[in-house]
Amino acid sequence: MITMDDIVRDGHPVLRQTAEAVELPPTERDKQQLADMIEFVKNSQDEDIAEKYGLRPGVGLAAPQINISKRMIAVHCEDEDGHLYSYALFNPRIVSHSVKRAYLATGEGCLSVDKSIPGFVPRYEKIRVKASTLEDEYIDIRLKGFPAIVFQHEIDHLNGIMFYDHIEKDRPFAEPDNAVAIGKS
Protein backbone atom coordinates (compact mmCIF):
# COMPACT_ATOMS: atom_id res chain seq x y z
CA MET A 1 0.00 0.00 0.00
CA ILE A 2 1.30 3.44 -0.97
CA THR A 3 1.45 5.99 1.86
CA MET A 4 2.63 9.60 2.10
CA ASP A 5 6.10 8.24 2.95
CA ASP A 6 6.28 6.91 -0.63
CA ILE A 7 5.50 10.30 -2.21
CA VAL A 8 8.64 12.17 -3.29
CA ARG A 9 8.65 15.87 -2.49
CA ASP A 10 9.31 18.98 -4.54
CA GLY A 11 13.03 19.24 -5.29
CA HIS A 12 13.49 15.50 -5.93
CA PRO A 13 15.17 15.12 -9.36
CA VAL A 14 12.67 12.52 -10.64
CA LEU A 15 9.95 15.20 -10.64
CA ARG A 16 11.86 17.14 -13.31
CA GLN A 17 12.59 14.19 -15.61
CA THR A 18 10.64 13.14 -18.69
CA ALA A 19 9.22 9.74 -17.77
CA GLU A 20 9.80 6.71 -19.99
CA ALA A 21 6.96 5.10 -21.94
CA VAL A 22 5.67 1.83 -20.50
CA GLU A 23 6.28 -1.08 -22.87
CA LEU A 24 2.98 -2.70 -23.82
CA PRO A 25 1.71 -5.11 -22.86
CA PRO A 26 2.80 -3.97 -19.40
CA THR A 27 4.67 -6.27 -17.06
CA GLU A 28 2.94 -7.62 -13.96
CA ARG A 29 5.14 -5.28 -11.92
CA ASP A 30 3.96 -2.24 -13.92
CA LYS A 31 0.35 -3.37 -13.55
CA GLN A 32 0.75 -3.80 -9.78
CA GLN A 33 2.38 -0.37 -9.40
CA LEU A 34 -0.44 1.28 -11.33
CA ALA A 35 -3.08 -0.65 -9.35
CA ASP A 36 -1.40 0.53 -6.14
CA MET A 37 -1.49 4.12 -7.44
CA ILE A 38 -5.26 4.13 -8.09
CA GLU A 39 -5.80 2.43 -4.71
CA PHE A 40 -3.82 5.23 -3.04
CA VAL A 41 -5.90 7.96 -4.71
CA LYS A 42 -9.16 6.24 -3.67
CA ASN A 43 -7.86 5.61 -0.13
CA SER A 44 -6.79 9.26 0.19
CA GLN A 45 -10.40 10.30 -0.38
CA ASP A 46 -11.80 7.88 2.22
CA GLU A 47 -11.83 9.83 5.50
CA ASP A 48 -11.35 6.77 7.73
CA ILE A 49 -8.50 5.24 5.71
CA ALA A 50 -6.86 8.65 5.16
CA GLU A 51 -6.93 9.38 8.89
CA LYS A 52 -5.68 5.92 9.85
CA TYR A 53 -2.68 6.09 7.49
CA GLY A 54 -2.08 9.86 7.50
CA LEU A 55 -2.90 10.32 3.80
CA ARG A 56 -3.41 13.75 2.27
CA PRO A 57 -6.46 13.72 0.02
CA GLY A 58 -5.70 13.76 -3.68
CA VAL A 59 -7.53 13.34 -6.98
CA GLY A 60 -4.58 12.10 -9.01
CA LEU A 61 -1.12 10.58 -8.82
CA ALA A 62 1.62 10.18 -11.41
CA ALA A 63 4.31 7.49 -11.20
CA PRO A 64 7.19 10.00 -10.88
CA GLN A 65 5.60 11.10 -7.59
CA ILE A 66 6.41 7.66 -6.16
CA ASN A 67 9.92 7.77 -7.68
CA ILE A 68 9.03 5.66 -10.74
CA SER A 69 10.00 7.46 -13.95
CA LYS A 70 7.36 5.76 -16.12
CA ARG A 71 4.33 7.14 -17.96
CA MET A 72 1.58 5.99 -15.60
CA ILE A 73 -1.17 8.05 -13.95
CA ALA A 74 -4.11 7.37 -11.67
CA VAL A 75 -7.09 9.75 -11.50
CA HIS A 76 -10.19 9.48 -9.33
CA CYS A 77 -12.36 12.60 -9.38
CA GLU A 78 -15.83 13.90 -10.12
CA ASP A 79 -16.90 16.60 -12.53
CA GLU A 80 -19.23 19.47 -11.66
CA ASP A 81 -22.26 17.18 -12.23
CA GLY A 82 -21.00 14.43 -9.92
CA HIS A 83 -19.93 12.07 -12.75
CA LEU A 84 -16.99 9.93 -11.60
CA TYR A 85 -13.78 9.73 -13.65
CA SER A 86 -11.70 6.86 -12.32
CA TYR A 87 -8.77 5.82 -14.48
CA ALA A 88 -5.46 4.00 -14.09
CA LEU A 89 -3.58 4.61 -17.34
CA PHE A 90 -0.39 3.68 -19.14
CA ASN A 91 1.18 6.14 -21.59
CA PRO A 92 -1.57 8.78 -21.50
CA ARG A 93 -1.20 11.53 -24.06
CA ILE A 94 -3.20 14.58 -24.95
CA VAL A 95 -4.00 14.30 -28.65
CA SER A 96 -6.09 17.47 -28.96
CA HIS A 97 -7.29 20.37 -26.86
CA SER A 98 -9.58 23.38 -26.95
CA VAL A 99 -8.46 26.91 -27.65
CA LYS A 100 -10.49 28.04 -24.64
CA ARG A 101 -8.67 27.81 -21.34
CA ALA A 102 -9.78 27.00 -17.80
CA TYR A 103 -8.30 27.32 -14.33
CA LEU A 104 -9.25 26.35 -10.79
CA ALA A 105 -10.56 29.40 -8.96
CA THR A 106 -8.96 28.02 -5.77
CA GLY A 107 -5.61 27.30 -7.43
CA GLU A 108 -3.97 23.88 -7.61
CA GLY A 109 -2.17 21.76 -5.07
CA CYS A 110 0.02 18.69 -5.32
CA LEU A 111 0.83 15.74 -3.07
CA SER A 112 4.53 16.35 -3.83
CA VAL A 113 4.35 20.01 -2.76
CA ASP A 114 3.99 20.49 1.00
CA LYS A 115 3.21 24.20 0.91
CA SER A 116 0.47 26.24 -0.67
CA ILE A 117 1.56 28.04 -3.84
CA PRO A 118 -1.12 30.60 -4.62
CA GLY A 119 -2.02 31.59 -8.16
CA PHE A 120 -4.05 30.62 -11.19
CA VAL A 121 -2.80 27.73 -13.32
CA PRO A 122 -3.99 28.11 -16.91
CA ARG A 123 -5.02 24.83 -18.53
CA TYR A 124 -7.09 23.80 -21.54
CA GLU A 125 -10.84 23.68 -20.86
CA LYS A 126 -11.29 20.53 -22.96
CA ILE A 127 -8.83 17.79 -23.88
CA ARG A 128 -8.85 14.44 -25.63
CA VAL A 129 -6.63 11.75 -24.14
CA LYS A 130 -5.53 8.40 -25.55
CA ALA A 131 -4.03 5.75 -23.28
CA SER A 132 -3.99 2.07 -22.30
CA THR A 133 -5.80 0.79 -19.22
CA LEU A 134 -4.92 -1.80 -16.60
CA GLU A 135 -7.24 -4.15 -18.48
CA ASP A 136 -5.13 -3.77 -21.67
CA GLU A 137 -7.81 -1.69 -23.39
CA TYR A 138 -6.88 1.24 -25.60
CA ILE A 139 -9.12 4.19 -24.74
CA ASP A 140 -9.87 7.56 -26.26
CA ILE A 141 -11.61 9.92 -23.81
CA ARG A 142 -12.84 13.47 -24.01
CA LEU A 143 -12.64 15.53 -20.84
CA LYS A 144 -13.73 19.01 -19.87
CA GLY A 145 -13.67 21.18 -16.78
CA PHE A 146 -12.27 19.76 -13.54
CA PRO A 147 -11.36 16.25 -14.85
CA ALA A 148 -9.53 17.86 -17.80
CA ILE A 149 -7.52 19.98 -15.36
CA VAL A 150 -6.67 16.93 -13.21
CA PHE A 151 -5.49 14.95 -16.24
CA GLN A 152 -3.33 17.85 -17.45
CA HIS A 153 -1.76 18.20 -13.97
CA GLU A 154 -0.88 14.48 -13.88
CA ILE A 155 0.36 14.31 -17.49
CA ASP A 156 2.55 17.35 -16.74
CA HIS A 157 4.26 15.24 -14.06
CA LEU A 158 5.23 12.75 -16.78
CA ASN A 159 6.99 15.57 -18.59
CA GLY A 160 8.85 17.00 -15.58
CA ILE A 161 6.49 19.97 -15.25
CA MET A 162 5.10 21.15 -11.90
CA PHE A 163 1.79 23.02 -11.63
CA TYR A 164 3.45 26.19 -10.34
CA ASP A 165 5.54 26.41 -13.52
CA HIS A 166 2.35 27.67 -15.20
CA ILE A 167 1.65 30.44 -12.66
CA GLU A 168 2.53 33.92 -13.87
CA LYS A 169 5.33 34.93 -11.47
CA ASP A 170 4.70 38.69 -11.36
CA ARG A 171 0.90 38.40 -11.44
CA PRO A 172 -0.10 35.04 -9.91
CA PHE A 173 -3.80 35.93 -9.84
CA ALA A 174 -3.95 37.43 -13.34
CA GLU A 175 -6.95 35.84 -15.00
CA PRO A 176 -5.70 33.88 -18.03
CA ASP A 177 -6.95 35.16 -21.40
CA ASN A 178 -9.92 33.36 -22.95
CA ALA A 179 -10.42 31.30 -19.78
CA VAL A 180 -13.25 30.11 -17.56
CA ALA A 181 -12.91 29.69 -13.78
CA ILE A 182 -13.75 26.22 -12.46
CA GLY A 183 -15.09 25.90 -8.91
CA LYS A 184 -15.74 28.54 -6.31
CA SER A 185 -13.21 31.17 -5.36
Side-chain angles (χ1 to χ4, degrees):
M1 179 179 153
I2 295 172
T3 68
M4 290 306 296
D5 291 341
D6 299 304
I7 308 285
V8 298
R9 299 310 203 274
D10 197 15
H12 191 290
V14 74
L15 294 173
R16 290 300 186 173
Q17 294 170 5
T18 299
E20 297 292 321
V22 175
E23 234 178 272
L24 299 177
T27 64
E28 286 307 310
R29 179 175 167 80
D30 287 339
K31 284 183 171 184
Q32 186 59 58
Q33 288 170 331
L34 186 54
D36 290 346
M37 287 167 57
I38 191 70
E39 178 190 48
F40 169 85
V41 178
K42 290 176 181 178
N43 285 346
S44 80
Q45 295 176 32
D46 180 305
E47 284 184 28
D48 295 334
I49 296 174
E51 186 176 343
K52 181 177 180 180
Y53 294 102
L55 307 179
R56 275 177 44 203
V59 290
L61 186 67
Q65 293 181 272
I66 55 169
N67 202 18
I68 297 171
S69 192
K70 290 189 176 180
R71 299 187 82 79
M72 302 187 291
I73 65 168
V75 171
H76 189 77
C77 70
E78 291 184 356
D79 66 13
E80 296 78 20
D81 298 323
H83 178 81
L84 180 64
Y85 293 79
S86 190
Y87 290 96
L89 302 174
F90 295 108
N91 303 326
R93 58 192 178 92
I94 297 170
V95 295
S96 64
H97 59 77
S98 62
V99 172
K100 189 162 189 148
R101 311 283 269 179
Y103 63 93
L104 293 182
T106 54
E108 291 185 23
C110 180
L111 293 168
S112 292
V113 179
D114 289 330
K115 63 182 182 189
S116 174
I117 300 179
F120 295 145
V121 180
R123 303 279 188 190
Y124 299 112
E125 182 188 28
K126 297 177 184 175
I127 59 170
R128 184 173 160 207
V129 173
K130 290 186 177 184
S132 295
T133 68
L134 266 175
E135 296 74 36
D136 294 324
E137 291 177 60
Y138 188 70
I139 61 167
D140 183 339
I141 50 178
R142 294 173 190 273
L143 302 154
K144 68 177 188 173
F146 185 67
I149 288 173
V150 175
F151 269 76
Q152 289 171 82
H153 178 112
E154 299 312 327
I155 291 170
D156 268 359
H157 276 303
L158 305 181
N159 297 315
I161 299 166
M162 300 294 284
F163 76 92
Y164 55 76
D165 295 341
H166 297 287
I167 298 172
E168 209 176 307
K169 303 293 175 250
D170 300 333
R171 302 178 321 134
F173 290 101
E175 222 170 285
D177 290 337
N178 192 26
V180 59
I182 306 287
K184 300 176 190 79
S185 54

